[in-house]
Amino acid sequence: MQSITDRDLGTPRPKTTRTVTVEIDHRTVEVPEGSTVMHAAAANGIAVPKLCATDSLEPFGSCRLCLVEIEGRRGYPASCTTPVEAGMKVRTQSERLADLRRGVMELYISDHPLDCLTCPANGHCELQDMAGAVGLRDVRYGYEGVHHLDAETDASNPYFAFDPSKCIVCSRCVRACEETQGTFALTVDGRGFASTIAAGMNEPFMDSECVSCGACVQACPTSTLMEKSVYAHGQPDRTVTTTCAYCGVGCSFKAEVKGTQVVRMVPNKDGQANHGHSCVKGRFAYGYASHPDRITQPLVRASIDDPWKEVSWDDAIAHAASEFKRIRDRYGRNALGGITSSRCTNEEAYLVQKLVRAGFGNNNVDTCARVCHSPTGYGLKTTLGTSAGTQAFDSVEEADVVMIIGANPTDGHPVFASQMKRRLRAGARLIIVDPRVIDLVRTPHVQADHHLQLRPGTNVAVINGLAHVIVTEGLTDDAFANERCDPDEYAEWKAFVSHEKYSPRNVERMTGVRAETLRRAARLYAKGPNSAIYYGLGVTEHSQGSTMVIGMANLAMATGNIGREGVGVSPLRGQNNVQGSCDMGSFPHELSGYRHLSDGETRRLFQQDWGVEIDPEPGLRIPNMFDAALDGSFKGMYIQGEDFVQSDPNTQHIEAAMRAMECVIVQDLFLNETAKFAHVFFPGATFLEKDGTFTNAERRIQRVRKIMPPAAGMADWEVTQAFSNAMGYPMRYAHPSEIMDEIARLTPTFRGVSFETIDRLGSVQWPCNDAMPEGTPTMHVGGFVRGKGKFVVTEYVETDERSSRRFPLLLTTGRVLAQYNVGAQTRRTPNREWHDEDILEIHPHDAEQRGIADGGLVSLASRVGDTVLKARVTERIQPGVVYTTFHHPLCGTNVVTTENSDWATNCPEYKVTAVEVAPVTRLSEWQEQYRDFTRKQEDLLRERASVRT
Amino acid sequence: MPDPDTDATRSALALKLADATLETLRDPRGALLPILHAIQEEMGCIPESVIPAVAERLNLTRAEVYGVVTFYADFRTEPLGRSVVHVCLAESCQALGSAAVADAAKAHLGVDFEGTTADGAFTLRKVYCLGNCALSPSVMIGGDVHGRVSPGAVGELIEAGRAGP
Amino acid sequence: MEVRRLVKMANDIGAFFERGGDAGGVANHIRMFWDPRMRREILVHLDETGGDGLTPIVREALQQHGHELDPGS
Ligand code: SF4
Ligand code: SF4
Ligand code: SF4
Ligand code: FES
Ligand code: FES
């Protein structure tokens, strides 16, 4: 079922601005060239009856309900498959057409149960609508004979049911799975009247290839495929447009609501990032918002060994402020700091950094991007001049060659992966640089041309090797590079990469990538003509993360692959608002819009607006905060929506740092791992409970809209504001839009942004200012933001983290589709059914040597710690490398990751840890302790006393 | 019950046939039908258990291959009985009462069209014209065409066509 | 702060600027991104031990540009 407020034009809008004039039902109308007759009519308010057509899918022409008459043509062509021609005269209504349509409908209805009143789709069923539209009153065929009325419902998927008795075999679901999602999990089983819809080989959906994106459910015109939540809650009565709070794709949704109950989430067809598609998380996994684990009362305690006390907001905020003031008086203002969240809104991130800079009086503010894409900021800023990706997602539709480096889009950025796969099916070529055989290396209808399966930690050698081939074979675009970049730096870079050190043979020795594969990939990328790089944490989370980002930018500049559609260097950013939280000035060295604190002009601007002095010295980064906590100079931390005890490397080190602080304030939905070390807990609000904006990986700012009141009574920005006021720095915002107005006032790249602009345009990509009042989809068109593009030489420096006799394997990490990062939300939804624990992937060869069986328990040990988890023996991973995810706290992946980090930004080197793996029979010591500690903390929560006044 | 060993052997055989077919084709797209034909020819049917392997070889989903197998009447996922009983349902035979013959055959065998008897002896199928219209209604049993078959006689004819295991 | 970690961080920065022999680049990076207490501590470490564990380029950077890095100055 599509959204209750969607208008369906039957077939997709053609991508053209040219129009033709036709006559429909005696009205002369101008319509886009290449429209179908159905689309042309619908766009002009004339609805032709239809069942198998919907405007998210290519026309199919199977139901024969949409017949029309066209002057000069014999018969009754299907309007959904007939393109308009200039001068065409169409009739959509006549007695003959009415007869024919009634006949068709009668056939459908004769095999359909007539229990509309109790059907979950009642009122929004297209079959019901069409029966009405064609004036069907009675059915001549009767209900005996062969029919499908008693077919059984498949309820295996936790989120939607498949009731084949309602199916009209329009195959919209099959086509949605192919065209929209690109999974091809559905088919028509059999043919003719006997045909039915089948998942996989007529298996339950959960056993089939289905990834539960829900596209088929949305495309289904009847209740055959229907969200279970609609069965449970009934039909919604209004929609609210908002933005997904999971990943950096930033899918726009229409939340369908009944009262304040979310009935279902329907991807917004007008969403400019997702065009009406979504993944299993955004569409279905919102149940955490009403999970009983949510804490809805502020909590305080004197020490982490005490039980929690439930207090009023006023008391909690007063207590937190008095503690922070005490610390400030005793240890100085630099002993305090704050963390903004990539899960919260721009406005909230902005307020937290403002509180730190203006209220605490220092620059000890950082954000979770520290541990993921901080090197993106540094690398792209250095070379191109902007700390953000260069393209819009839609740009991929113009790409001829796609190079994916250290990213796994089908799991991490599923909706963009669907768009990319569509382009790949249409013929774009694909290069993958990844230590692991990710899905896109070979998945139905997609096959990478080259897979550069490098050893973890050798990215920079590979990028230099690619550059070596391109430069030495004369495949560069010198005209572009010399004109757009500094020619001397360009020449120096060319000389650098041309050195024999980076010849394919030598690179093969350093990285394990075959010389011939490297050469071919380099030529393919250089040949383009449009070559686009997409990358993820497999690039950034290395000791040379920033170097690699620079290396990719160098390559794009040298081949002229930047500054137009179809090319570019695009980070696939993890969290929903990681771009935004960085834009908002969450880093300790810069103010909003990436302006360094040392820039006096900018500082003065803020000082005037905020009425305080701003410290010109950079503050502590997250890992520095832990170090400073351990040496006693950092004592109080306000953490909004981040769980670094689980997410950050070297867990024991962090736990020790947490214990060393005197006041830790955690603001979150759940008592997360970090909150177990906290003294004050501010209950957070979900994205359904507040207003604001998120900025996705393509710099697109979109609205988050409040659907229900905050469960704890206050939205996160209101809490920060109250805390600031209690700290003595006044804030008086009545609505988040006022915060955005302040951001726009103080940030040149945001000057044109306001809630009003976003509401008007649907979304806007920064820079948005007087020069680009409607925003900027593609950056660096005609010139680089920094002026001349900067080539920087990128020497490959081997990481200190090397395999050794004691730790002969390299561990690398990633994530899966169904879970989201630390999993605090997704683990509290039925998504657990897909992924319930972190698993260690190991190559059969390594497994055999160690006597490890598939599914067996193994210990994973590095020089910093060890944990125990289950093994999966698979050839997805190369010999010498093991792989796991970090979605579940008990699996303790980060107990083994080390404190090595990117040289420029201290982004941790999650992607390379030397480890040893061995079969074991029980959990590790850390896990036993963790279990005890968790159990104790849960008791302390359960025993919480209410001392509300 | 699917027997893993046989399933594995069958899949291996199916893959061999797929590879042999792929070698004869210039364009691997469109290879599915020729491969399915080759498998059916060699193995007598396309066992469902080989579908995943064929799909993986062609980089398709098993849903797609399954859809094609079930779409074409020529393909079958179960082996045929040792003898096949074809009842003609084309015009001439229809006019002379082949529907009743078909019903009698179904009743005798206890299976519907496309069904195979539990002992694996017979499969009942329909056919459209056996080129024996002059002697309608026609039935073909194990390759022998019989004309002017009456509903009462079809059972005996079938039994006469029973082939040993 | 644990000096071992500061030394490691400084050396990592040094490795990037090594090729151009750009000690100024190292110092500038530290100036732009390190909290004053970290800068002070590494300078103290240089003073007290002569820069134990530091790579030559980092030592050079701290020696030549120490005054720019010293938050007290
Ligand atoms: S399940 Fe729905 S979309 Fe699919 S064929 Fe049936 S009615 Fe059409
Ligand atoms: S939920 Fe998505 S993947 Fe699953 S069958 Fe439907 S469209 Fe295909
Ligand atoms: S998690 Fe990402 S891809 Fe999935 S619906 Fe949300 S924004 Fe879209
Ligand atoms: S809507 Fe045109 S044939 Fe179905
Ligand atoms: S119609 Fe039956 S044999 Fe020709």
Side-chain angles (χ1 to χ4, degrees):
Chain A
M1 195 178 105
Q2 37 193 328
S3 168
I4 56 171
T5 52
D6 274 349
R7 230 176 101 214
D8 188 350
L9 302 184
T11 64
R13 170 200 297 281
K15 282 186 182 151
T16 174
T17 48
R18 282 202 297 258
T19 59
V20 295
T21 305
V22 296
E23 194 187 290
I24 304 177
D25 292 346
H26 308 295
R27 269 173 57 200
T28 305
V29 293
E30 214 174 304
V31 300
E33 194 181 84
S35 306
T36 61
V37 170
M38 172 178 285
H39 185 95
N44 286 285
I46 300 169
V48 182
K50 64 177 188 57
L51 278 172
C52 69
T54 183
D55 58 13
S56 59
L57 301 171
E58 292 304 318
F60 193 60
S62 72
C63 75
R64 313 305 295 170
L65 194 62
C66 68
L67 311 181
V68 292
E69 292 173 6
I70 297 176
E71 202 176 283
R73 289 215 193 163
R74 290 218 316 236
Y76 304 91
S79 63
C80 67
T81 51
T82 309
V84 290
E85 280 165 23
M88 196 179 241
K89 292 196 166 81
V90 179
R91 284 184 67 188
T92 72
Q93 300 291 349
S94 74
E95 284 208 6
R96 181 71 193 127
L97 286 172
D99 272 353
L100 287 168
R101 289 179 188 149
R102 259 196 303 275
V104 170
M105 274 312 291
E106 222 173 333
L107 274 173
Y108 278 113
I109 298 287
S110 68
D111 186 28
H112 196 89
L114 293 182
D115 52 2
C116 293
L117 288 183
T118 54
C119 176
N122 188 24
H124 295 290
C125 168
E126 294 182 43
L127 188 68
Q128 199 179 37
D129 293 350
M130 289 307 130
V134 305
L136 188 68
R137 275 183 205 89
D138 42 39
V139 177
R140 287 168 296 180
Y141 296 92
Y143 297 97
E144 51 302 324
V146 200
H147 58 69
H148 306 97
L149 298 184
D150 39 21
E152 251 175 72
T153 295
D154 170 5
S156 62
N157 184 293
Y159 296 117
F160 62 83
F162 172 59
D163 173 4
S165 73
K166 305 274 175 64
C167 180
I168 58 173
V169 200
C170 63
S171 87
R172 269 154 71 161
C173 52
V174 179
R175 289 176 287 137
C177 193
E178 295 179 5
E179 295 174 29
T180 310
Q181 163 60 21
T183 292
F184 297 75
L186 300 180
T187 190
V188 179
D189 182 346
R191 70 208 150 99
F193 186 76
S195 61
T196 52
I197 296 300
M201 295 163 52
N202 205 1
E203 303 154 58
F205 270 73
M206 275 305 264
D207 299 343
S208 75
E209 288 130 328
C210 168
V211 296
S212 195
C213 71
C216 56
V217 179
Q218 188 174 352
C220 181
T222 66
S223 70
T224 312
L225 283 162
M226 180 62 93
E227 291 91 345
K228 289 181 177 173
S229 59
V230 177
Y231 280 90
H233 301 301
Q235 288 283 336
D237 46 46
R238 66 187 171 107
T239 68
V240 182
T241 304
T242 191
T243 305
C244 178
Y246 279 114
C247 88
V249 174
C251 294
S252 171
F253 279 90
K254 288 188 183 172
E256 298 200 338
V257 184
K258 187 177 199 169
T260 56
Q261 169 76 51
V262 175
V263 174
R264 54 177 202 149
M265 299 287 274
V266 186
N268 178 6
K269 281 193 196 175
D270 299 323
Q272 288 139 317
N274 59 319
H275 307 292
H277 189 36
S278 80
C279 79
V280 57
K281 296 185 286 283
R283 190 193 297 261
F284 294 125
Y286 52 85
Y288 67 86
S290 47
H291 195 278
D293 282 356
R294 267 193 77 183
I295 295 179
T296 55
Q297 285 293 329
L299 304 171
V300 298
R301 59 180 174 182
S303 104
I304 68 165
D305 300 314
D306 288 344
W308 287 102
K309 275 188 296 207
E310 261 180 12
V311 295
S312 68
W313 272 114
D314 286 349
D315 289 353
I317 284 165
H319 173 75
S322 85
E323 277 297 284
F324 266 43
K325 283 186 199 155
R326 178 184 63 77
I327 290 171
R328 183 168 61 192
D329 294 346
R330 169 127 188 245
Y331 303 98
R333 60 183 167 91
N334 289 325
L336 296 175
I339 306 294
T340 75
S341 174
S342 299
R343 319 304 317 276
C344 288
T345 63
N346 283 316
E347 294 73 16
E348 287 163 341
Y350 177 86
L351 274 206
V352 171
Q353 62 90 35
K354 181 174 180 180
L355 166 66
V356 172
R357 299 191 205 278
F360 301 171
N362 64 43
N363 291 307
N364 294 332
V365 60
D366 207 356
T367 185
C368 28
R370 174 66 54 213
V371 303
C372 65
H373 267 292
S374 51
T376 289
Y378 179 85
L380 294 183
K381 172 112 183 162
T382 303
T383 48
L384 313 177
T386 310
S387 296
T390 61
Q391 310 299 118
F393 289 137
D394 284 352
S395 156
V396 77
E397 289 172 12
E398 305 296 323
D400 303 301
V401 177
V402 170
M403 178 146 82
I404 303 175
I405 309 181
N408 184 6
T410 50
D411 286 74
H413 301 81
V415 164
F416 178 61
S418 290
Q419 187 175 26
M420 186 185 259
K421 276 163 92 174
R422 207 172 307 134
R423 179 66 200 135
L424 293 168
R425 290 199 300 276
R429 313 283 299 270
L430 177 62
I431 303 166
I432 290 175
V433 184
D434 203 296
R436 214 172 139 250
V437 184
I438 60 167
D439 273 356
L440 283 174
V441 170
R442 190 168 187 274
T443 186
H445 301 272
V446 170
Q447 167 115 40
D449 294 274
H450 306 292
H451 178 202
L452 280 53
Q453 196 169 13
L454 75 181
R455 265 195 296 279
T458 62
N459 284 332
V460 173
V462 167
I463 204 85
N464 288 349
L466 291 169
H468 178 95
V469 175
I470 289 171
V471 169
T472 55
E473 295 189 5
L475 304 174
T476 48
D477 184 347
D478 288 346
F480 178 93
N482 279 319
E483 187 209 320
R484 298 275 302 261
C485 309
D486 181 307
D488 294 340
E489 286 167 353
Y490 178 47
E492 195 191 332
W493 175 80
K494 276 176 115 176
F496 162 72
V497 295
S498 304
H499 193 277
E500 182 55 24
K501 176 171 179 190
Y502 296 112
S503 72
R505 272 159 184 269
N506 282 328
V507 170
E508 173 166 344
R509 229 164 281 137
M510 291 183 257
T511 66
V513 175
R514 297 243 333 271
E516 198 43 35
T517 311
L518 187 84
R519 277 193 205 100
R520 291 203 183 147
R523 290 174 197 141
L524 182 58
Y525 176 80
K527 192 175 100 226
N530 280 351
S531 297
I533 295 176
Y534 294 92
Y535 70 94
L537 303 180
V539 159
T540 53
E541 289 175 349
H542 285 284
S543 60
Q544 281 205 291
S546 293
T547 316
M548 181 61 181
V549 175
I550 292 172
M552 296 183 304
N554 287 338
L555 202 65
M557 292 190 292
T559 51
N561 277 312
I562 205 140
R564 61 177 186 280
E565 280 201 52
V567 299
V569 181
S570 305
L572 295 175
R573 308 202 65 155
Q575 321 236 28
N576 57 319
N577 198 36
V578 63
Q579 180 70 51
S581 66
C582 297
D583 300 342
M584 291 303 106
S586 295
F587 287 134
H589 64 276
E590 65 194 9
L591 293 158
S592 66
Y594 306 99
R595 289 162 298 163
H596 199 275
L597 284 165
S598 59
D599 168 10
E601 192 69 40
T602 303
R603 244 182 19 251
R604 262 191 300 284
L605 186 70
F606 279 83
Q607 291 180 164
Q608 244 165 36
D609 203 275
W610 293 358
V612 291
E613 277 294 300
I614 291 176
D615 188 337
E617 294 292 349
L620 296 167
R621 297 166 169 178
I622 292 174
N624 312 145
M625 290 182 194
F626 296 139
D627 290 344
L630 281 171
D631 85 356
S633 67
F634 189 76
K635 293 287 185 188
M637 201 172 190
Y638 168 39
I639 305 162
Q640 183 170 79
E642 171 156 7
D643 192 6
F644 37 55
V645 171
Q646 191 186 338
S647 67
D648 286 25
N650 197 350
T651 310
Q652 296 95 316
H653 176 76
I654 296 174
E655 289 183 357
M658 296 300 292
R659 287 176 193 274
M661 281 186 272
E662 293 184 5
C663 184
V664 174
I665 307 171
V666 168
Q667 184 170 8
D668 210 300
L669 303 175
F670 304 103
L671 198 77
N672 61 20
E673 300 311 305
T674 308
K676 292 175 183 157
F677 297 89
H679 307 89
V680 178
F681 186 88
F682 292 157
T686 70
F687 74 117
L688 301 170
E689 299 166 7
K690 59 197 182 188
D691 281 300
T693 58
F694 291 153
T695 307
N696 77 355
E698 36 159 23
R699 295 170 275 104
R700 187 182 299 286
I701 312 165
Q702 305 186 97
R703 278 297 311 276
V704 176
R705 289 188 179 85
K706 184 167 160 179
I707 290 163
M708 56 185 80
M714 274 171 99
D716 299 302
W717 64 272
E718 293 173 294
V719 178
T720 306
Q721 166 158 303
F723 184 37
S724 183
N725 288 330
M727 286 294 293
Y729 179 75
M731 290 188 185
R732 312 241 179 280
Y733 305 99
H735 189 267
S737 64
E738 296 172 11
I739 306 174
M740 181 50 88
D741 293 341
E742 176 175 323
I743 296 164
R745 188 163 75 226
L746 294 172
T747 317
T749 43
F750 275 66
R751 186 123 316 147
V753 180
S754 67
F755 279 32
E756 188 274 321
T757 322
I758 301 171
D759 290 346
R760 181 165 49 82
L761 299 174
S763 71
V764 65
Q765 287 173 279
W766 67 260
C768 170
N769 45 32
D770 291 344
M772 301 295 280
E774 311 235 304
T776 313
T778 309
M779 303 277 292
H780 314 297
V781 179
F784 287 104
V785 169
R786 75 182 295 282
K788 290 279 182 194
K790 184 176 179 65
F791 278 91
V792 179
V793 299
T794 52
E795 191 78 84
Y796 167 59
V797 181
E798 214 181 323
T799 165
D800 288 349
E801 191 64 21
R802 279 170 224 168
S803 48
S804 61
R805 191 126 43 92
R806 235 180 104 210
F807 300 112
L809 302 171
L810 289 180
L811 167 73
T812 188
T813 59
R815 52 168 119 156
V816 300
L817 171 67
Q819 294 290 357
Y820 192 78
N821 275 10
V822 295
Q825 282 119 344
T826 43
R827 278 186 283 114
R828 290 183 173 91
T829 70
N831 278 26
R832 285 198 87 116
E833 294 188 22
W834 283 278
H835 182 90
D836 201 30
E837 60 185 331
D838 295 321
I839 300 232
L840 185 81
E841 292 187 359
I842 183 167
H843 189 272
H845 175 76
D846 294 325
E848 199 191 311
Q849 270 189 348
R850 291 167 176 75
I852 292 168
D854 195 47
L857 222 47
V858 294
S859 73
L860 173 70
S862 75
R863 64 185 162 80
V864 306
D866 67 313
T867 186
V868 169
L869 64 180
K870 269 194 205 147
R872 176 185 298 138
V873 179
T874 167
E875 289 185 5
R876 277 200 175 261
I877 201 84
Q878 53 182 302
V881 178
V882 291
Y883 166 88
T884 190
T885 47
F886 53 93
H887 302 302
H888 297 270
L890 181 63
C891 301
T893 309
N894 282 323
V895 173
V896 302
T897 51
T898 70
E899 70 289 356
N900 284 349
S901 66
D902 172 45
W903 67 270
T905 64
N906 288 143
C907 177
E909 187 172 41
Y910 289 109
K911 298 292 181 181
V912 197
T913 310
V915 293
E916 178 56 301
V917 178
V920 289
T921 48
R922 54 195 213 88
L923 297 185
S924 77
E925 205 176 310
W926 175 84
Q927 281 164 313
E928 300 288 359
Q929 281 170 9
Y930 169 84
R931 263 202 184 161
D932 293 346
F933 178 67
T934 304
R935 219 168 277 147
K936 181 177 148 206
Q937 286 298 326
E938 281 166 2
D939 289 345
L940 294 180
L941 179 66
R942 216 167 299 120
E943 289 159 19
R944 66 183 177 252
S946 178
V947 289
R948 304 197 52 209
T949 43
Chain B
M1 269 317 277
D3 169 351
D5 285 338
T6 357
D7 283 353
T9 341
R10 282 174 173 173
S11 297
L13 176 56
L15 280 183
K16 229 201 261 156
L17 293 165
D19 289 340
T21 312
L22 278 169
E23 264 174 38
T24 65
L25 296 172
R26 208 174 288 127
D27 187 352
R29 284 172 303 179
L32 180 57
L33 284 179
I35 288 174
L36 293 177
H37 279 295
I39 293 173
Q40 174 141 308
E41 191 149 305
E42 179 74 27
M43 303 173 72
C45 68
I46 302 165
E48 280 195 19
S49 61
V50 310
I51 290 179
V54 173
E56 146 60 39
R57 179 60 42 103
L58 293 175
N59 207 13
L60 301 170
T61 58
R62 46 183 198 270
E64 290 174 279
V65 177
Y66 177 79
V68 170
V69 170
T70 60
F71 180 80
Y72 290 99
D74 285 357
F75 293 137
R76 37 191 312 117
T77 52
E78 300 290 337
L80 287 174
R82 291 184 295 277
S83 303
V84 179
V85 178
H86 281 105
V87 179
C88 176
L89 291 179
E91 282 79 2
S92 165
C93 292
Q94 279 268 13
L96 290 165
S98 66
V101 176
D103 286 345
K106 286 181 195 170
H108 180 82
L109 293 170
V111 299
D112 209 336
F113 280 129
E114 295 307 310
T116 299
T117 53
D119 61 0
F122 293 104
T123 299
L124 181 64
R125 311 189 77 178
K126 43 189 159 182
V127 70
Y128 291 93
C129 195
L130 289 162
N132 194 36
C133 312
L135 299 174
S136 289
S138 311
V139 172
M140 180 165 77
I141 298 167
D144 300 332
V145 178
H146 306 267
R148 299 222 172 92
V149 181
S150 69
V154 73
E156 220 167 288
L157 278 176
I158 289 174
E159 286 314 313
R162 184 181 281 277
Chain C
M1 230 172 273
E2 224 187 310
V3 163
R4 184 184 61 86
R5 288 166 73 95
L6 294 177
V7 167
K8 166 109 176 70
M9 283 168 58
N11 287 345
D12 287 348
I13 296 168
F16 181 80
F17 293 97
E18 183 93 58
R19 196 193 139 78
D22 184 4
V26 177
N28 185 49
H29 191 90
I30 291 177
R31 171 77 190 78
M32 297 289 269
F33 296 103
W34 283 28
D35 171 272
R37 76 192 86 169
M38 296 160 63
R39 302 194 320 245
R40 196 175 307 121
E41 279 176 43
I42 196 128
L43 287 174
V44 168
H45 174 70
L46 180 76
D47 274 356
E48 285 177 353
T49 68
D52 196 18
L54 293 173
T55 55
I57 189 164
V58 177
R59 205 170 295 142
E60 184 191 334
L62 297 180
Q63 275 158 356
Q64 285 181 4
H65 302 270
H67 54 285
E68 298 157 32
L69 296 181
D70 185 352
S73 71

